[in-house]
Amino acid sequence: MADPRFYSVAGPFGLEKLAAIAKAEIAGTPANRGADYRDVAPLSRAGPTDVSFLDNRRYLPDFKASRAGACLVAPDVVKAAPNGMVLLVTREPYAAYARVAAAFYPRPAPRPGTDTRAAVGPDAKIGEGCRIDAGAVIGVHAEIGRRCHVAANAVVGDGVVVGDDCYIGPGASLAYCVVGSRVIIHAGARIGQDGFGFAPGSGGHVKVPQLGRVVIGDDVEIGANTTIDRGAGPDTIVGAGTKIDNLVQIAHNVELGRGCIVVAQVGISGSTKIGDFVMLGGQAGLTGHLTIGGGAKIAAQAGVMRDIEPGVTVGGSPAVPMREWLKGVAIVARMARKEGG
Amino acid sequence: MADPRFYSVAGPFGLEKLAAIAKAEIAGTPANRGADYRDVAPLSRAGPTDVSFLDNRRYLPDFKASRAGACLVAPDVVKAAPNGMVLLVTREPYAAYARVAAAFYPRPAPRPGTDTRAAVGPDAKIGEGCRIDAGAVIGVHAEIGRRCHVAANAVVGDGVVVGDDCYIGPGASLAYCVVGSRVIIHAGARIGQDGFGFAPGSGGHVKVPQLGRVVIGDDVEIGANTTIDRGAGPDTIVGAGTKIDNLVQIAHNVELGRGCIVVAQVGISGSTKIGDFVMLGGQAGLTGHLTIGGGAKIAAQAGVMRDIEPGVTVGGSPAVPMREWLKGVAIVARMARKEGG
Amino acid sequence: MADPRFYSVAGPFGLEKLAAIAKAEIAGTPANRGADYRDVAPLSRAGPTDVSFLDNRRYLPDFKASRAGACLVAPDVVKAAPNGMVLLVTREPYAAYARVAAAFYPRPAPRPGTDTRAAVGPDAKIGEGCRIDAGAVIGVHAEIGRRCHVAANAVVGDGVVVGDDCYIGPGASLAYCVVGSRVIIHAGARIGQDGFGFAPGSGGHVKVPQLGRVVIGDDVEIGANTTIDRGAGPDTIVGAGTKIDNLVQIAHNVELGRGCIVVAQVGISGSTKIGDFVMLGGQAGLTGHLTIGGGAKIAAQAGVMRDIEPGVTVGGSPAVPMREWLKGVAIVARMARKEGG
């Protein structure tokens, strides 16, 4: 059970209701069809009134030993279930779990109001239902949509536009940017500062004025302490539905497509364009001015120095097609073992 | 045109004036010599009253198709220009663009004043013309020079000294440091906290008191969420004119020379000394106690474990001279292809 | 001598007292046994009233030329000491230096009090002797132990529990976490935000509610701008005595054991379990769901994709046992040189 200091649980839910929330089928006709479920829990800790899930097959032993009352599973593991466990079958058990967990633990709407210790600039517009916490600073002419939560000590710069139902975490700062709706910006994220633009000149590095913005689509999530610089002239763009993890660096003029997944500590250099539904593994780095095709997959720690065609998977530094990278790794390992023997 | 919510444009400027600002020559005797220019714009978006530039030859097709009224170019692309485009010729088109853009979009001087919601400690000195935003906290005995802008929720610790014309971004924090003039510190940068110093001891890791400072030269720029630890006994030093990107880690006792370029997510371990005008590519890492000669170039993602002579370029992890690294990469790739065939 | 703007020095200390603090033996019977020592200093800058230390043999030339009045050394370098230097001999000179430096520069207890510009939520408990600086925000029902220092603009979220004698740096933020005693959290660290949990679904990425906490043991240190996400269901755990450097990413459900050292910019993916006294070099990355045995050592920039047995040292990306990695590197270098010749 989630720590009641931090979470309060809704429910309980009956089996039919759970199946509807999960968009899953109830397997067979369980004896305990009328039972109520009170919480979600991991397989190893779940009890008879908990709903759990199996997604990563690494946890199959935990599944077989689990005492969970009900479990969200893919069709192919139904037969491995322990006796007495009610199965909710779906092709997407993790997404189904997400829906069930959100039913038990709905994200509370922010309590509306502006703390007396927040500072709201002249001509700023705050939509109805917003919560502005202590120490938050909202700039001149900024516009915040409805039902947003601006957390403690966050800074929304002059003229910044934020859509509806957004969350801006503690200490985050936004400047020179236009943000869509249902966007989550975690603590300490830095959006819209000057890009790293210097022209080598005879008298030292000349600072290049950065005249663009950051434009963030709907349903984007931006991780803690991630940095997104504003464009130099064009905008820096993050497409709708893209999810960015912590400590990621996105340089000026980068364009990220829709539905991308960018894992922690990735770095994307200036003016690189990334298509839709691209996946970037943790700590991967991309040089500037590249074009990465839609659906490409970039392995963790890869160092991408060339354009990538749509749908291609790459790895290594410098990055090459995954198969080629793995083969090179295997060849070197074989030589090392042979020499050692 | 830059978004008027965030930028206001100066000008217009005549051609002669632009050439003087850019330190460029007007090519030939254009028919429209008397025209006025109203803005800067990228090649692909520029129109007849805009000034653009061509620096990276990757954008030559955009140049040939551009409708820009005038363009800053190097001598060797003059012949490729489209009809009717006025050319401003210079060996440093990007630096020239930086000067022209700064003329159209001059950085406004901060409006002087201390917000009533800032907290200024006893005996702190704030120079004339400074702007201290809401939520900024200035410590006891701190000294801020003239015309500085301390942005919202920034923290300047006790005794910290800052020169003239500096910018300290939202939520940044400074402690135990002495900062020169014309220094730009972006949002969330962390300067002067304890270095990571632990002595392995029989009873666990013993914390080593960190008794130095961070000393930052004139004209330095420090990126968003970058961290610079103070020295353990000696100081951590950043030389004048050095530009540091976002999310860079600089450990205790590091000395960075003058005019270095440090790209995002670089990590420099303790006590490493780096000469003048060194370039460090993104995500490169350097172990501690190294000496890197002036003018050295370190490729992105390189892992430097040995000293580097002045002027040498290295790549790979562990880093070796660039030529050797590229050759090794090519050899492994060739073997992988052969085995696959 | 440390800059008096930032530090005040205690002492002086006589030789016997120093030896007791350092837990070291005085070598021989020095003529100046009665002398007083006034400060610590690095070998190259120390004078006759300073105490220095030699730990890394790289600095042996500095030792031989040093004018330090006394020096903490290991037994094997006693003979290399310059004439007139008093030697304090110990098997752990760096830990001994840490104790001596802490005697000269004791960390001052925080001056108790809550700044009028701090915001303390209803039902929050602040223990006796705490200092809460300007702009700090403490949430509803939060509990802070005794003698803690919450620095300017730090944010302690609703319900968060912090033990005794903790330091929470400027602008750091804590949420959904339970923190032990004597924990140091540096500026800008982000603890307890949502983990990066998305289920791929037919209608886009579905956000998975994150229902766990971050649990931090006693004597932990967490670096500037480091991010630690809360658990998804289980908790994210940092064991007692573990030291984490700047800009580290720790994902949801990670368990770090006791006494680990995690160097800057390391990234640890979700659900990976790390044993006690593991060392992770800078910029190393670990994929998710791994088990890393106690005492393992992971080289800087390593990319760990498999479980590691206790005590094993690995390097490279993908990481392999250190010996195998170094051999592979040497083989490729040899081929590159041969081809070049």
Side-chain angles (χ1 to χ4, degrees):
Chain A
M1 185 184 176
D3 187 332
R5 273 180 295 208
F6 302 116
Y7 304 96
S8 45
V9 65
F13 298 108
L15 191 57
E16 310 280 353
K17 175 76 176 166
L18 277 180
I21 292 167
K23 300 180 191 171
E25 303 278 320
I26 303 166
T29 316
N32 47 357
R33 197 170 183 107
D36 268 351
Y37 296 88
R38 303 187 168 276
D39 208 343
V40 288
L43 287 165
S44 59
R45 288 188 349 208
T49 62
D50 292 326
V51 185
S52 195
F53 74 103
L54 174 65
D55 184 59
N56 186 334
R57 298 193 62 127
R58 190 186 288 263
Y59 296 100
L60 199 54
D62 286 358
F63 173 66
K64 291 178 179 173
S66 179
R67 294 174 49 249
C71 190
L72 297 151
V73 295
D76 60 338
V77 295
V78 166
K79 289 186 177 160
N83 279 338
M85 181 189 278
V86 174
L87 298 179
L88 292 159
V89 183
T90 162
R91 287 179 189 277
E92 297 179 343
Y94 193 35
Y97 167 76
R99 288 187 287 265
V100 169
F104 278 109
Y105 295 92
R107 204 173 142 207
R111 280 164 297 154
T114 297
D115 192 284
T116 56
R117 276 172 266 212
V120 178
D123 297 314
K125 288 183 197 157
I126 311 281
E128 61 182 33
C130 282
R131 172 170 188 75
I132 316 291
D133 281 340
V137 178
I138 315 274
V140 181
H141 281 294
E143 294 178 31
I144 313 270
R146 291 169 293 175
R147 297 173 303 276
C148 291
H149 180 187
V150 180
N153 291 340
V155 178
V156 177
D158 295 351
V160 165
V161 178
V162 176
D164 296 335
D165 299 297
C166 292
Y167 169 76
I168 300 173
S173 57
L174 282 69
Y176 300 88
C177 65
V178 177
V179 176
S181 290
R182 298 174 305 280
V183 171
I184 295 172
I185 297 174
H186 284 290
R190 307 294 165 192
I191 298 176
Q193 56 282 332
D194 275 24
F196 194 65
F198 301 98
S202 38
H205 310 298
V206 184
K207 184 166 176 67
V208 181
Q210 303 288 303
L211 305 172
R213 307 168 302 174
V214 178
V215 178
I216 296 175
D218 294 338
D219 300 300
V220 165
E221 185 159 341
I222 296 171
N225 284 347
T226 278
T227 56
I228 304 181
D229 288 345
R230 73 175 183 264
D235 294 321
T236 303
I237 297 169
V238 179
T242 283
K243 311 295 185 184
I244 301 173
D245 201 350
N246 299 340
L247 292 170
V248 167
Q249 152 69 359
I250 297 182
H252 55 188
N253 307 349
V254 164
E255 295 182 14
L256 264 165
R258 291 174 303 122
C260 295
I261 294 282
V262 183
V263 178
Q265 296 175 319
V266 161
I268 308 176
S269 301
S271 301
T272 281
K273 311 275 180 278
I274 295 176
D276 297 338
F277 300 104
V278 171
M279 300 193 61
L280 293 98
Q283 298 184 333
L286 287 74
T287 59
H289 302 278
L290 301 180
T291 299
I292 309 299
K297 289 192 172 70
I298 297 173
Q301 292 193 331
V304 181
M305 294 161 66
R306 296 196 192 159
D307 291 353
I308 300 178
E309 295 295 308
V312 170
T313 300
V314 303
S317 178
V320 292
M322 198 68 181
R323 210 180 130 85
E324 185 178 328
W325 176 52
L326 292 176
K327 192 167 282 177
V329 164
I331 289 172
V332 173
R334 204 167 58 211
M335 290 192 297
R337 275 194 307 272
K338 194 179 292 178
E339 189 158 298
Chain B
M1 185 184 176
D3 187 332
R5 274 180 293 208
F6 302 117
Y7 304 97
S8 44
V9 64
F13 299 108
L15 192 57
E16 310 280 353
K17 176 74 178 169
L18 277 180
I21 291 165
K23 301 181 190 169
E25 303 277 319
I26 303 167
T29 316
N32 46 357
R33 199 171 183 106
D36 269 352
Y37 295 89
R38 302 188 169 276
D39 209 342
V40 289
L43 286 165
S44 59
R45 289 188 350 206
T49 62
D50 292 328
V51 186
S52 195
F53 75 103
L54 174 66
D55 184 59
N56 186 333
R57 299 194 61 132
R58 189 186 289 260
Y59 296 101
L60 199 54
D62 286 358
F63 173 65
K64 291 178 178 172
S66 179
R67 294 174 50 248
C71 190
L72 297 151
V73 295
D76 61 339
V77 294
V78 166
K79 288 185 179 160
N83 279 338
M85 181 190 276
V86 174
L87 298 178
L88 292 160
V89 184
T90 163
R91 286 179 190 279
E92 295 179 344
Y94 193 35
Y97 167 75
R99 288 186 288 266
V100 169
F104 278 109
Y105 295 93
R107 204 172 143 206
R111 281 164 297 155
T114 297
D115 192 285
T116 55
R117 275 173 265 211
V120 178
D123 297 315
K125 288 182 195 157
I126 311 282
E128 60 181 34
C130 282
R131 173 170 188 74
I132 315 292
D133 282 340
V137 178
I138 315 273
V140 182
H141 280 293
E143 294 178 31
I144 312 271
R146 290 169 294 175
R147 298 174 302 276
C148 290
H149 181 186
V150 181
N153 291 341
V155 178
V156 177
D158 295 352
V160 165
V161 178
V162 175
D164 296 335
D165 300 297
C166 292
Y167 170 76
I168 300 172
S173 57
L174 282 69
Y176 300 88
C177 66
V178 177
V179 176
S181 290
R182 298 174 304 281
V183 171
I184 295 172
I185 297 173
H186 285 289
R190 307 293 164 193
I191 298 177
Q193 55 283 332
D194 274 26
F196 193 65
F198 300 98
S202 39
H205 310 298
V206 183
K207 185 166 175 65
V208 182
Q210 304 288 303
L211 305 171
R213 307 168 302 174
V214 178
V215 178
I216 296 175
D218 294 338
D219 300 299
V220 165
E221 186 159 341
I222 296 171
N225 283 348
T226 278
T227 56
I228 306 181
D229 288 345
R230 71 174 184 266
D235 293 322
T236 303
I237 297 170
V238 179
T242 282
K243 311 297 184 183
I244 300 172
D245 202 349
N246 299 340
L247 293 171
V248 168
Q249 152 70 356
I250 298 182
H252 55 187
N253 308 349
V254 164
E255 296 181 15
L256 262 166
R258 290 174 304 121
C260 295
I261 294 282
V262 184
V263 177
Q265 296 175 318
V266 160
I268 308 177
S269 300
S271 301
T272 282
K273 312 276 181 277
I274 295 176
D276 297 338
F277 301 103
V278 171
M279 299 192 63
L280 293 98
Q283 298 183 334
L286 287 74
T287 60
H289 302 280
L290 301 181
T291 300
I292 309 299
K297 289 191 173 69
I298 297 172
Q301 292 192 331
V304 181
M305 294 162 66
R306 296 198 192 157
D307 292 352
I308 300 178
E309 295 295 309
V312 170
T313 300
V314 303
S317 178
V320 291
M322 198 67 181
R323 208 180 131 84
E324 185 177 329
W325 176 53
L326 293 175
K327 193 165 281 177
V329 165
I331 288 171
V332 173
R334 205 167 56 211
M335 290 192 297
R337 276 194 307 272
K338 195 178 291 178
E339 189 157 300
Chain C
M1 184 186 177
D3 188 332
R5 273 180 294 207
F6 301 116
Y7 303 98
S8 45
V9 63
F13 298 108
L15 191 58
E16 310 280 353
K17 176 74 176 169
L18 277 180
I21 292 166
K23 301 180 190 169
E25 302 277 320
I26 303 167
T29 315
N32 47 357
R33 196 170 183 107
D36 269 353
Y37 295 89
R38 301 188 170 276
D39 209 342
V40 288
L43 287 165
S44 59
R45 289 188 350 206
T49 61
D50 291 328
V51 185
S52 195
F53 74 103
L54 174 65
D55 184 59
N56 186 333
R57 299 194 62 127
R58 190 186 289 262
Y59 295 100
L60 199 55
D62 286 358
F63 174 64
K64 291 178 179 173
S66 179
R67 294 173 51 246
C71 191
L72 297 152
V73 295
D76 60 339
V77 295
V78 166
K79 288 186 179 160
N83 279 338
M85 181 190 276
V86 174
L87 298 179
L88 292 160
V89 183
T90 163
R91 285 178 191 279
E92 296 179 344
Y94 193 36
Y97 167 76
R99 288 188 287 264
V100 169
F104 278 109
Y105 295 92
R107 202 172 144 208
R111 280 164 297 154
T114 297
D115 193 285
T116 55
R117 276 173 266 211
V120 178
D123 296 315
K125 289 184 195 157
I126 312 282
E128 62 181 33
C130 281
R131 173 171 188 74
I132 314 292
D133 283 338
V137 178
I138 315 272
V140 181
H141 280 294
E143 295 179 30
I144 313 272
R146 290 169 294 175
R147 297 173 303 277
C148 290
H149 180 187
V150 181
N153 291 340
V155 178
V156 178
D158 295 352
V160 165
V161 178
V162 175
D164 296 334
D165 300 297
C166 291
Y167 169 77
I168 299 172
S173 56
L174 282 69
Y176 300 88
C177 65
V178 177
V179 176
S181 290
R182 299 174 303 281
V183 171
I184 295 172
I185 296 173
H186 284 290
R190 307 294 163 195
I191 298 176
Q193 56 282 331
D194 273 24
F196 193 65
F198 301 98
S202 39
H205 311 299
V206 184
K207 186 166 176 66
V208 181
Q210 303 289 302
L211 304 172
R213 307 169 301 173
V214 178
V215 178
I216 296 176
D218 294 337
D219 300 299
V220 165
E221 185 159 340
I222 295 171
N225 283 347
T226 278
T227 56
I228 305 180
D229 287 346
R230 71 174 184 265
D235 294 321
T236 303
I237 297 171
V238 179
T242 282
K243 311 295 185 183
I244 300 172
D245 202 350
N246 299 339
L247 293 169
V248 168
Q249 153 69 358
I250 298 182
H252 54 188
N253 306 351
V254 164
E255 295 182 14
L256 263 165
R258 289 175 305 121
C260 294
I261 293 282
V262 183
V263 178
Q265 296 175 319
V266 160
I268 308 176
S269 301
S271 301
T272 281
K273 312 275 180 276
I274 296 176
D276 297 338
F277 300 103
V278 170
M279 301 193 60
L280 293 98
Q283 298 183 334
L286 287 74
T287 59
H289 302 278
L290 301 180
T291 299
I292 310 299
K297 289 191 172 69
I298 296 173
Q301 291 192 333
V304 181
M305 294 161 66
R306 295 198 194 157
D307 291 353
I308 300 178
E309 295 295 308
V312 171
T313 300
V314 302
S317 178
V320 292
M322 198 67 180
R323 207 180 133 85
E324 184 179 329
W325 177 53
L326 293 175
K327 194 167 281 177
V329 165
I331 289 172
V332 173
R334 203 166 58 213
M335 291 192 296
R337 275 194 307 272
K338 195 178 290 178
E339 187 158 299

